[in-house]
Amino acid sequence: MIEYHKYPYTEKEILQRIEQYKTSDLQTMTEQEAYRFILSVIDLTTLEGSDNAKKIEDLCSTAIHFKDKDKNIPNTAAVCVYPPFVKQAKTLLKNTGISVASVAGGFPAGQTPIEIKLAEVKFAVEAGADEIDMVISRGKFLEGNYQEVFDEIAAIKKICGTARLKVILETGELQTADNIYAASWIAMTAGADFIKTSTGKIPVNATPESFIVMLDAIKNYHRETGKMVGMKPAGGISDPDTALLYVKILENVLGINWMNNQYFRIGASRLAKKIAEKIK
Protein backbone atom coordinates (compact mmCIF):
# COMPACT_ATOMS: atom_id res chain seq x y z
CA MET A 1 0.00 0.00 0.00
CA ILE A 2 1.46 3.34 -1.06
CA GLU A 3 1.49 5.87 1.76
CA TYR A 4 1.50 9.57 1.09
CA HIS A 5 1.00 12.69 3.14
CA LYS A 6 -1.66 15.36 3.01
CA TYR A 7 -0.25 18.76 2.06
CA PRO A 8 -0.05 20.95 5.19
CA TYR A 9 -0.65 24.42 3.66
CA THR A 10 -3.79 26.11 2.34
CA GLU A 11 -3.93 27.87 -1.03
CA LYS A 12 -4.00 31.22 0.78
CA GLU A 13 -0.87 30.32 2.73
CA ILE A 14 0.93 29.27 -0.47
CA LEU A 15 0.16 32.62 -2.11
CA GLN A 16 1.26 34.54 0.99
CA ARG A 17 4.59 32.71 1.01
CA ILE A 18 5.16 33.42 -2.69
CA GLU A 19 4.50 37.14 -2.16
CA GLN A 20 6.91 37.14 0.77
CA TYR A 21 9.66 35.45 -1.25
CA LYS A 22 9.02 37.68 -4.27
CA THR A 23 9.81 40.82 -2.29
CA SER A 24 12.81 39.35 -0.45
CA ASP A 25 16.43 39.73 -1.47
CA LEU A 26 18.62 36.76 -2.26
CA GLN A 27 20.78 35.94 0.75
CA THR A 28 23.35 33.59 -0.79
CA MET A 29 24.25 35.41 -4.01
CA THR A 30 24.14 38.75 -5.80
CA GLU A 31 21.84 39.27 -8.77
CA GLN A 32 24.75 38.81 -11.19
CA GLU A 33 25.74 35.60 -9.42
CA ALA A 34 22.11 34.51 -9.65
CA TYR A 35 22.12 34.98 -13.44
CA ARG A 36 25.27 32.85 -13.72
CA PHE A 37 23.66 30.25 -11.48
CA ILE A 38 20.49 30.21 -13.59
CA LEU A 39 22.46 29.68 -16.80
CA SER A 40 24.39 26.83 -15.16
CA VAL A 41 21.18 24.95 -14.24
CA ILE A 42 19.31 25.22 -17.54
CA ASP A 43 18.42 22.11 -19.51
CA LEU A 44 18.44 23.65 -23.00
CA THR A 45 15.55 21.91 -24.69
CA THR A 46 14.02 21.11 -28.06
CA LEU A 47 11.07 18.72 -28.05
CA GLU A 48 9.19 19.31 -31.29
CA GLY A 49 7.90 17.07 -34.03
CA SER A 50 10.01 19.10 -36.45
CA ASP A 51 13.28 18.27 -34.65
CA ASN A 52 15.99 16.99 -37.00
CA ALA A 53 19.76 16.51 -37.10
CA LYS A 54 20.44 20.15 -38.06
CA LYS A 55 18.27 21.45 -35.24
CA ILE A 56 20.08 19.25 -32.71
CA GLU A 57 23.44 20.41 -34.08
CA ASP A 58 22.35 24.03 -33.62
CA LEU A 59 21.07 23.36 -30.10
CA CYS A 60 24.34 21.73 -29.03
CA SER A 61 26.37 24.53 -30.63
CA THR A 62 24.32 27.08 -28.70
CA ALA A 63 24.87 25.20 -25.44
CA ILE A 64 28.64 25.00 -25.99
CA HIS A 65 29.11 28.65 -26.93
CA PHE A 66 27.62 30.21 -23.82
CA LYS A 67 30.78 29.47 -21.88
CA ASP A 68 33.24 32.37 -21.60
CA LYS A 69 36.03 31.99 -19.04
CA ASP A 70 37.05 35.65 -19.27
CA LYS A 71 33.53 36.80 -18.37
CA ASN A 72 32.96 33.89 -15.97
CA ILE A 73 29.96 32.70 -17.99
CA PRO A 74 29.19 29.00 -17.46
CA ASN A 75 27.79 26.30 -19.72
CA THR A 76 24.20 25.16 -19.41
CA ALA A 77 23.76 21.98 -17.39
CA ALA A 78 22.34 19.82 -20.16
CA VAL A 79 20.54 19.61 -23.45
CA CYS A 80 17.24 17.72 -23.53
CA VAL A 81 16.12 15.92 -26.70
CA TYR A 82 14.01 13.03 -27.96
CA PRO A 83 15.62 9.54 -27.91
CA PRO A 84 16.55 9.37 -31.63
CA PHE A 85 18.86 12.38 -31.16
CA VAL A 86 20.69 11.24 -28.01
CA LYS A 87 23.60 9.62 -29.82
CA GLN A 88 24.17 12.71 -31.99
CA ALA A 89 23.99 15.08 -29.01
CA LYS A 90 26.32 12.88 -26.98
CA THR A 91 28.93 13.02 -29.76
CA LEU A 92 28.61 16.79 -30.24
CA LEU A 93 28.90 17.49 -26.49
CA LYS A 94 31.82 15.16 -25.78
CA ASN A 95 34.29 16.63 -23.25
CA THR A 96 32.16 19.77 -22.66
CA GLY A 97 30.75 18.77 -19.28
CA ILE A 98 27.23 19.29 -20.67
CA SER A 99 24.94 16.34 -19.98
CA VAL A 100 22.51 14.80 -22.44
CA ALA A 101 18.96 14.36 -21.14
CA SER A 102 16.26 12.52 -23.04
CA VAL A 103 12.52 12.46 -22.57
CA ALA A 104 11.41 8.83 -22.72
CA GLY A 105 8.72 6.52 -21.45
CA GLY A 106 5.73 7.78 -23.39
CA PHE A 107 6.41 11.53 -23.27
CA PRO A 108 4.33 13.70 -23.10
CA ALA A 109 1.00 11.91 -22.42
CA GLY A 110 2.24 8.80 -20.65
CA GLN A 111 -0.51 6.81 -22.36
CA THR A 112 1.77 4.00 -23.47
CA PRO A 113 2.02 0.39 -22.24
CA ILE A 114 4.75 -0.09 -19.67
CA GLU A 115 6.60 -2.53 -21.98
CA ILE A 116 6.91 0.23 -24.60
CA LYS A 117 7.93 2.78 -22.00
CA LEU A 118 10.71 0.54 -20.75
CA ALA A 119 11.91 -0.19 -24.29
CA GLU A 120 12.10 3.52 -25.09
CA VAL A 121 14.02 4.31 -21.90
CA LYS A 122 16.39 1.40 -22.60
CA PHE A 123 16.98 2.75 -26.12
CA ALA A 124 17.80 6.24 -24.81
CA VAL A 125 20.13 4.94 -22.09
CA GLU A 126 21.99 2.66 -24.51
CA ALA A 127 22.37 5.62 -26.90
CA GLY A 128 24.21 7.45 -24.12
CA ALA A 129 21.64 9.50 -22.22
CA ASP A 130 22.99 10.76 -18.90
CA GLU A 131 19.51 11.63 -17.68
CA ILE A 132 15.98 10.41 -18.42
CA ASP A 133 12.93 12.68 -18.09
CA MET A 134 9.85 10.43 -17.80
CA VAL A 135 6.18 11.27 -17.25
CA ILE A 136 3.88 9.66 -14.72
CA SER A 137 0.59 8.13 -15.82
CA ARG A 138 -1.69 10.95 -14.73
CA GLY A 139 -4.84 9.05 -15.63
CA LYS A 140 -3.88 6.21 -13.31
CA PHE A 141 -2.95 8.67 -10.56
CA LEU A 142 -6.25 10.57 -10.85
CA GLU A 143 -8.28 7.36 -10.57
CA GLY A 144 -6.39 6.52 -7.38
CA ASN A 145 -4.19 3.76 -8.76
CA TYR A 146 -1.12 4.95 -6.88
CA GLN A 147 0.52 1.54 -6.68
CA GLU A 148 0.68 1.19 -10.47
CA VAL A 149 2.12 4.72 -10.79
CA PHE A 150 4.75 3.77 -8.20
CA ASP A 151 5.52 0.47 -9.92
CA GLU A 152 6.02 2.12 -13.32
CA ILE A 153 8.44 4.70 -11.90
CA ALA A 154 10.36 2.01 -10.01
CA ALA A 155 10.63 -0.16 -13.14
CA ILE A 156 11.90 2.76 -15.22
CA LYS A 157 14.36 3.74 -12.49
CA LYS A 158 15.77 0.22 -12.53
CA ILE A 159 16.29 0.21 -16.30
CA CYS A 160 17.98 3.64 -16.16
CA GLY A 161 21.08 2.08 -14.63
CA THR A 162 23.48 4.94 -13.90
CA ALA A 163 21.37 7.54 -15.74
CA ARG A 164 19.61 9.95 -13.40
CA LEU A 165 15.81 9.86 -13.46
CA LYS A 166 13.66 12.99 -13.52
CA VAL A 167 9.97 12.26 -12.96
CA ILE A 168 7.51 14.69 -14.56
CA LEU A 169 4.24 15.08 -12.66
CA GLU A 170 2.44 17.33 -15.20
CA THR A 171 1.12 19.50 -12.37
CA GLY A 172 -1.30 21.36 -14.64
CA GLU A 173 -3.30 18.14 -14.95
CA LEU A 174 -3.05 17.16 -11.28
CA GLN A 175 -4.63 20.53 -10.41
CA THR A 176 -4.70 20.45 -6.59
CA ALA A 177 -1.91 20.98 -4.09
CA ASP A 178 -2.82 17.69 -2.35
CA ASN A 179 -2.48 15.80 -5.66
CA ILE A 180 0.83 17.46 -6.51
CA TYR A 181 2.20 16.73 -3.04
CA ALA A 182 1.05 13.10 -3.13
CA ALA A 183 2.47 12.54 -6.64
CA SER A 184 5.77 14.08 -5.54
CA TRP A 185 5.94 11.70 -2.59
CA ILE A 186 5.13 8.65 -4.73
CA ALA A 187 7.80 9.61 -7.29
CA MET A 188 10.47 10.13 -4.65
CA THR A 189 9.62 6.91 -2.83
CA ALA A 190 9.84 5.03 -6.16
CA GLY A 191 13.38 6.27 -6.73
CA ALA A 192 13.21 9.61 -8.56
CA ASP A 193 16.48 11.54 -8.55
CA PHE A 194 14.54 14.68 -9.53
CA ILE A 195 10.90 15.61 -9.62
CA LYS A 196 9.81 17.91 -12.43
CA THR A 197 6.70 20.04 -12.85
CA SER A 198 5.72 19.78 -16.48
CA THR A 199 6.20 18.64 -20.05
CA GLY A 200 5.69 22.11 -21.55
CA LYS A 201 3.03 20.56 -23.80
CA ILE A 202 -0.18 21.66 -22.04
CA PRO A 203 -1.63 25.14 -21.33
CA VAL A 204 -0.63 25.20 -17.63
CA ASN A 205 3.01 24.31 -16.98
CA ALA A 206 5.36 25.39 -14.18
CA THR A 207 3.84 27.85 -11.73
CA PRO A 208 5.27 29.26 -8.48
CA GLU A 209 2.39 27.54 -6.67
CA SER A 210 3.13 24.04 -7.97
CA PHE A 211 6.87 24.66 -7.52
CA ILE A 212 6.53 25.53 -3.85
CA VAL A 213 4.35 22.47 -3.16
CA MET A 214 6.98 20.20 -4.74
CA LEU A 215 9.79 21.89 -2.80
CA ASP A 216 7.86 21.35 0.42
CA ALA A 217 7.55 17.66 -0.50
CA ILE A 218 11.29 17.42 -1.15
CA LYS A 219 12.05 19.15 2.16
CA ASN A 220 9.79 16.83 4.16
CA TYR A 221 11.03 13.74 2.31
CA HIS A 222 14.62 14.72 3.11
CA ARG A 223 13.68 15.28 6.74
CA GLU A 224 12.16 11.78 6.96
CA THR A 225 14.67 9.80 4.87
CA GLY A 226 17.87 11.83 4.67
CA LYS A 227 17.77 11.56 0.86
CA MET A 228 18.19 14.72 -1.24
CA VAL A 229 15.97 14.78 -4.34
CA GLY A 230 16.44 17.38 -7.07
CA MET A 231 13.83 19.74 -8.50
CA LYS A 232 13.16 20.86 -12.09
CA PRO A 233 10.50 23.43 -12.98
CA ALA A 234 9.86 23.41 -16.73
CA GLY A 235 7.57 25.06 -19.22
CA GLY A 236 6.81 28.78 -19.36
CA ILE A 237 9.95 30.04 -17.58
CA SER A 238 11.12 32.25 -20.42
CA ASP A 239 12.33 35.52 -18.85
CA PRO A 240 14.99 36.44 -16.26
CA ASP A 241 12.56 37.93 -13.72
CA THR A 242 10.51 34.74 -13.59
CA ALA A 243 13.65 32.64 -13.26
CA LEU A 244 14.88 34.85 -10.40
CA LEU A 245 11.59 34.32 -8.56
CA TYR A 246 12.07 30.56 -8.77
CA VAL A 247 15.60 30.92 -7.38
CA LYS A 248 14.28 33.02 -4.48
CA ILE A 249 11.66 30.39 -3.68
CA LEU A 250 14.29 27.65 -3.89
CA GLU A 251 16.63 29.52 -1.56
CA ASN A 252 13.90 30.15 1.00
CA VAL A 253 12.42 26.65 1.05
CA LEU A 254 15.40 24.31 0.53
CA GLY A 255 18.45 26.53 0.96
CA ILE A 256 22.02 26.48 -0.27
CA ASN A 257 22.48 22.69 -0.49
CA TRP A 258 20.06 22.56 -3.42
CA MET A 259 21.47 25.59 -5.23
CA ASN A 260 23.61 23.76 -7.79
CA ASN A 261 22.96 21.85 -11.00
CA GLN A 262 23.18 18.48 -9.24
CA TYR A 263 19.92 19.23 -7.43
CA PHE A 264 18.24 22.01 -9.40
CA ARG A 265 17.44 22.45 -13.08
CA ILE A 266 15.24 24.70 -15.17
CA GLY A 267 13.79 23.27 -18.37
CA ALA A 268 13.76 26.00 -21.02
CA SER A 269 14.29 26.70 -24.69
CA ARG A 270 14.15 30.51 -24.72
CA LEU A 271 15.54 31.50 -21.33
CA ALA A 272 19.28 30.85 -21.74
CA LYS A 273 20.02 33.55 -24.31
CA LYS A 274 18.11 36.18 -22.28
CA ILE A 275 20.00 35.23 -19.13
CA ALA A 276 23.37 35.33 -20.92
CA GLU A 277 22.57 38.86 -22.09
CA LYS A 278 22.06 39.91 -18.44
CA ILE A 279 25.52 38.74 -17.38
CA LYS A 280 28.02 41.59 -17.24
Side-chain angles (χ1 to χ4, degrees):
M1 182 69 179
I2 296 298
E3 294 184 1
Y4 64 95
H5 299 250
K6 184 174 175 60
Y7 187 59
Y9 294 99
T10 65
E11 183 178 351
K12 182 179 179 181
E13 288 170 328
I14 293 170
L15 294 174
Q16 287 173 338
R17 289 170 68 196
I18 291 168
E19 285 305 309
Q20 176 189 341
Y21 302 152
K22 189 183 292 184
T23 57
S24 67
D25 294 323
L26 285 166
Q27 300 301 305
T28 58
M29 58 183 71
T30 66
E31 189 172 276
Q32 278 293 302
E33 288 169 339
Y35 290 139
R36 288 180 170 83
F37 168 64
I38 291 165
L39 187 60
S40 76
V41 301
I42 288 175
D43 286 358
L44 197 62
T45 302
T46 183
L47 297 170
E48 303 297 334
S50 59
D51 287 349
N52 53 56
K54 178 63 166 63
K55 195 169 179 183
I56 302 308
E57 183 179 344
D58 290 344
L59 181 78
C60 292
S61 177
T62 299
I64 292 167
H65 287 101
F66 281 118
K67 188 164 187 175
D68 186 326
K69 288 185 178 179
D70 293 337
K71 296 181 180 180
N72 194 25
I73 299 176
N75 277 331
T76 60
V79 300
C80 185
V81 297
Y82 277 116
F85 303 109
V86 168
K87 189 174 182 180
Q88 179 192 6
K90 191 74 175 178
T91 299
L92 292 169
L93 296 173
K94 186 177 180 180
N95 298 325
T96 65
I98 301 171
S99 297
V100 176
S102 177
V103 294
F107 180 93
Q111 298 287 10
T112 307
I114 184 60
E115 295 82 4
I116 305 301
K117 291 181 179 181
L118 292 173
E120 187 179 29
V121 172
K122 185 173 184 286
F123 175 91
V125 170
E126 289 180 349
D130 303 296
E131 301 166 3
I132 296 294
D133 290 32
M134 66 160 284
V135 291
I136 69 164
S137 297
R138 283 87 73 195
K140 291 173 184 176
F141 177 88
L142 291 169
E143 66 186 9
N145 196 345
Y146 303 136
Q147 186 65 52
E148 193 166 353
V149 175
F150 174 96
D151 290 345
E152 286 191 353
I153 297 168
I156 289 173
K157 171 62 177 175
K158 184 176 181 180
I159 212 164
C160 280
T162 58
R164 301 177 81 193
L165 179 63
K166 306 192 198 90
V167 178
I168 308 168
L169 307 184
E170 198 68 294
T171 53
E173 291 183 343
L174 299 185
Q175 297 183 342
T176 71
D178 279 345
N179 279 347
I180 293 167
Y181 193 76
S184 299
W185 205 268
I186 290 167
M188 292 187 290
T189 305
D193 297 297
F194 272 74
I195 52 176
K196 176 178 170 181
T197 58
S198 319
T199 64
K201 299 299 184 183
I202 67 169
V204 179
N205 292 291
T207 65
E209 291 85 353
S210 60
F211 182 60
I212 205 170
V213 173
M214 293 170 71
L215 293 183
D216 285 337
I218 289 170
K219 183 176 183 178
N220 291 336
Y221 185 76
H222 178 252
R223 184 181 293 139
E224 289 196 15
T225 68
K227 180 183 177 183
M228 289 177 66
V229 175
M231 177 68 206
K232 180 179 173 180
I237 305 173
S238 58
D239 65 85
D241 287 344
T242 302
L244 277 173
L245 173 59
Y246 279 82
V247 173
K248 287 182 179 182
I249 297 172
L250 175 71
E251 181 187 66
N252 277 278
V253 179
L254 292 182
I256 191 66
N257 288 342
W258 271 264
M259 297 181 73
N260 57 73
N261 63 18
Q262 292 302 299
Y263 290 103
F264 184 62
R265 298 287 179 83
I266 296 174
S269 56
R270 295 170 290 170
L271 177 64
K273 185 178 179 181
K274 295 176 184 177
I275 290 291
E277 289 171 351
K278 286 278 191 178
I279 297 174
K280 297 175 183 176

